[in-house]
Amino acid sequence: DIQMTQSPSSLSASVGDRVTITCRASQSISSSLNWYQQKPGKAPKLLIYAASTLQSGVPSRFSGSGSGTDFTLTISSLQPEDSATYYCQQSYSIPTFGQGTKVEIK
Amino acid sequence: QVQLVQSGAEVKKPGASVKVSCKASGYTFTSYDINWVRQATGQGLEWMGWMNPNSGNTGYAQKFQGRVTMTRNTSISTAYMELSSLRSEDTAVYYCARAAAAGSFFDYWGQGTLVTVSS
């Protein structure tokens, strides 16, 4: 199975900050990388698919980039409602998820 | 609007089986795969397998082979996931999620079903 490694595991940032989360695959996955946001007690929500395509209804402050093995999720201006755990997931082969990045607001 | 509504929480004894349902609405049930993902308390997301509601074809993660069965009833737009030989490590929230195709992303999720395995 393809292993997905996210960094950092957690971060704390202020409202308005630019936040970047990294996801690395153990082998090339082309652009088959998706990002989800999960709030406590809720199901994950799709944010970005195919590495950089914003899911309908998701605020434009979220963006994704990368291909091959290295990917990033960027929140351009952090908002209070962005406090959540973010997961990457590869859909190149048998689906696997990263371990998650918890984003907290200072 | 697309909705996936799952059955309620379950408490099972070790060695028992559990069957979780996922009722789809707001789209053509047979046009999208249903995947199952679980999450132990405080842990990450773990993919269990997929089912094509049109054909009934399935694919399971190796970890669950022999213990998991995914089925559907197209007449009521409902998918099922049955997990047998339960152990304490199976205590988790189980989610169904829609995918446009095999090897795709999960665009809609059920609300989750907590399965607790305890003697």
Side-chain angles (χ1 to χ4, degrees), chain B:
Chain B
Q1 73 284 19
V2 173
Q3 278 193 300
L4 297 174
V5 178
Q6 298 183 222
S7 49
E10 303 262 14
V11 178
K12 297 292 183 181
K13 293 194 181 302
S17 297
V18 69
K19 190 171 186 176
V20 179
S21 68
C22 172
K23 183 171 177 59
S25 61
Y27 72 99
T28 302
F29 178 61
T30 51
S31 294
Y32 295 81
D33 290 351
I34 293 289
N35 287 249
W36 291 88
V37 175
R38 77 177 187 179
Q39 184 173 40
T41 302
Q43 302 301 307
L45 301 165
E46 181 176 34
W47 179 78
M48 299 180 68
W50 65 271
M51 181 193 64
N52 181 305
N54 185 45
S55 63
N57 289 344
T58 56
Y60 304 138
Q62 190 166 7
K63 175 177 180 177
F64 300 102
Q65 289 273 4
R67 281 210 304 145
V68 70
T69 305
M70 296 177 187
T71 58
R72 88 290 192 211
N73 183 334
T74 56
S75 67
I76 56 171
S77 300
T78 300
Y80 304 93
M81 186 283 299
E82 184 169 21
L83 188 63
S84 62
S85 303
L86 290 169
R87 35 214 190 224
S88 58
E89 310 90 87
D90 294 318
T91 294
V93 175
Y94 289 76
Y95 294 101
C96 61
R98 190 185 84 160
S104 183
F105 48 86
F106 309 136
D107 59 354
Y108 288 93
W109 295 64
Q111 82 277 18
T113 296
L114 175 61
V115 175
T116 303
V117 183
S118 173
S119 55

Side-chain angles (χ1 to χ4, degrees), chain A residues 76-103:
Chain A
S76 61
S77 178
L78 190 67
Q79 299 301 303
E81 60 266 31
D82 300 335
S83 177
T85 300
Y86 293 83
Y87 293 94
C88 62
Q89 175 244 329
Q90 63 81 15
S91 50
Y92 185 81
S93 64
I94 295 170
T96 49
F97 292 87
Q99 81 278 16
T101 295
K102 187 173 184 178
V103 173

